[in-house]
Amino acid sequence: MMANFSLFVFACVMISYLGIKEVQCVGVCYGRNGNNLPLAEDVVNLYKANGITSMRVYDPIPETLNALKDSNIQIMLCIPNDKLQALTDPKEAYNWVFANVINYIKQVRIRYVSVGNEISPLIAGSSQFVPFLLPAMENVQRVITSFRLNHRVKISTAVETGLLANTYPPSQSTFRGDVISFIKPIIEFLKQNNAPLLANIYPYFAYIGDPDHVSLSYAIFAQPEPDSSGYTNLFDAMLDSIYYAIEKAIGENKVEIVVSESGWPSEGGFGGSMGIATIYYRNLIGHAKSKAGTIHKLGKPIETYLFAMFDENLKIGAETEKHFGVFYPDKTQKYNLTF
């Protein structure tokens, strides 16, 4: 990726410590599932050098949080799924918040705390955490509120689109009947605390899962004419599907959505291509920053985090999982993107 990556990633203005609402922005997820990745201090310097002003942090270790001090990078701080059961104990929630938020909040711009990632009753690898998710969110929220940080730090969780049913057309989307008892209390919690829902949205996986019915041009923002539902791209259709499902679940929609992950692999299997990924990231960034919005949410930028900063050679699963980086581990830019 060339130096002008900074021109199209830098779309975010500074949020004040008084909790004034900021312009939506494009960030990049900082995953660490690799044995060849730069030191945290070098990673933070790379973000700054490229004008990337928002970071999603999956494992809040002191090395990363210390490197972020006085960097002016806004972060989404994640609590790993395997920590949630412990946080159902209010004392453990207090200890976690104090260690990872309070100890850094004066020098690190912590904007979101994502309690868990893609927990779902439908996913074998995460369903065991379902009973712990909402209690952990509530306990973390109580601690944040006790320190009067609830207007500055928003507590949420990141979901995936497998929770939805009837997604075409998007206006007919609902949460699946077998997950509504799980997701509705979470949405009500978010509404009560004026926090967004975090959603991982991947047109790539929808495309490779059904290439006979999902065209590549539709998946990468390259379809010139709308489909029968009025959408020209799958990203907007997926995002609006979640908005419509939220409305049906709670009878109104006062919960915003932050796209906590979206990306495209550069190699490793079907659909993985440098050329295709270049088009996807370029178009996603331009669309997220624009004021076009979606059909259901016209006229607003879409806060979006690109997945991910680096290729991660220790990721498990399909070979493509190792090739979602927008930078190589040696810190060189990966795509020849222009804005």
Side-chain angles (χ1 to χ4, degrees):
M1 191 181 307
M2 300 177 66
N4 60 9
F5 181 84
S6 60
L7 294 176
F8 52 78
V9 173
F10 184 72
C12 186
V13 299
M14 187 184 303
I15 182 175
S16 81
Y17 288 132
L18 297 176
I20 298 173
K21 187 175 181 180
E22 76 276 20
V23 173
Q24 306 289 359
C25 56
V26 173
V28 182
C29 301
Y30 172 31
R32 299 175 64 252
N33 286 324
N35 58 13
N36 58 352
L37 300 181
L39 297 175
E41 183 177 354
D42 294 331
V43 173
V44 171
N45 287 334
L46 189 62
Y47 270 70
K48 292 192 291 184
N50 287 275
I52 306 170
T53 58
S54 295
M55 174 191 291
R56 183 178 180 183
V57 179
Y58 291 94
D59 46 354
I61 61 174
E63 177 189 0
T64 301
L65 294 174
N66 285 327
L68 283 161
K69 287 181 177 178
D70 301 318
S71 68
N72 204 35
I73 294 173
Q74 174 180 288
I75 70 167
M76 177 187 296
L77 192 61
C78 299
I79 302 177
N81 293 351
D82 60 6
K83 303 293 184 184
L84 300 191
Q85 184 173 6
L87 298 186
T88 61
D89 180 344
K91 292 182 180 179
E92 290 298 323
Y94 179 92
N95 291 339
W96 191 95
V97 172
F98 196 89
N100 297 289
V101 178
I102 306 306
N103 278 347
Y104 296 95
I105 196 69
K106 290 183 179 180
Q107 293 175 279
V108 180
R109 293 178 56 213
I110 301 170
R111 177 59 175 156
Y112 305 111
V113 174
S114 176
V115 183
N117 183 53
E118 294 190 347
I119 292 174
S120 167
L122 308 174
I123 301 176
S126 75
S127 60
Q128 67 267 35
F129 304 114
V130 166
F132 314 131
L133 178 56
L134 185 57
M137 294 175 70
E138 292 170 338
N139 284 342
V140 170
Q141 181 69 60
R142 289 188 189 100
V143 181
I144 290 294
T145 301
S146 72
F147 282 95
R148 298 183 179 180
L149 292 171
N150 48 301
H151 295 295
R152 175 178 169 185
V153 180
K154 294 301 179 181
I155 311 305
S156 188
T157 190
V159 300
E160 50 88 35
T161 53
L163 299 175
L164 301 176
N166 305 322
T167 56
Y168 192 86
S171 60
Q172 298 302 307
S173 178
T174 62
F175 288 110
R176 289 174 47 135
D178 50 359
V179 305
I180 191 66
S181 63
F182 159 71
I183 193 64
K184 183 177 179 180
I186 291 172
I187 295 170
E188 290 173 338
F189 167 90
L190 298 174
K191 175 187 171 184
Q192 179 181 351
N193 292 285
N194 193 29
L197 178 67
L198 310 177
N200 298 339
I201 295 180
Y202 284 95
Y204 166 73
F205 290 117
Y207 165 65
I208 66 170
D210 192 8
D212 291 336
H213 297 96
V214 178
S215 71
L216 180 61
S217 60
Y218 188 59
I220 62 174
F221 301 89
Q223 179 170 297
E225 299 297 329
D227 65 7
S228 60
S229 66
Y231 288 82
T232 58
N233 69 84
L234 182 55
F235 179 90
D236 280 2
M238 295 173 76
L239 180 56
D240 275 355
S241 291
I242 304 174
Y243 273 120
Y244 281 114
I246 290 173
E247 292 175 11
K248 293 181 177 71
I250 63 173
E252 59 181 332
N253 191 357
K254 294 185 178 180
V255 176
E256 296 295 324
I257 296 172
V258 170
V259 179
S260 44
E261 289 181 14
S262 191
W264 200 285
S266 59
E267 59 180 288
F270 177 72
S273 156
M274 285 285 291
I276 297 173
T278 298
I279 295 170
Y280 182 76
Y281 283 116
R282 181 189 66 206
N283 289 342
L284 171 60
I285 291 165
H287 181 61
K289 286 177 53 181
S290 75
K291 294 183 179 180
T294 67
I295 291 177
H296 193 47
K297 293 285 183 177
L298 290 172
K300 61 179 295 184
I302 304 167
E303 187 171 358
T304 303
Y305 288 75
L306 309 184
F307 188 87
M309 191 65 174
F310 301 107
D311 285 347
E312 299 173 78
N313 64 355
L314 298 182
K315 286 291 288 293
I316 60 173
E319 179 64 22
T320 50
E321 292 288 339
K322 301 177 182 180
H323 303 283
F324 274 86
V326 294
F327 284 81
Y328 291 109
D330 66 2
K331 299 184 292 185
T332 58
Q333 296 94 340
K334 191 172 183 180
Y335 300 111
N336 183 21
L337 296 174
T338 58
F339 181 67

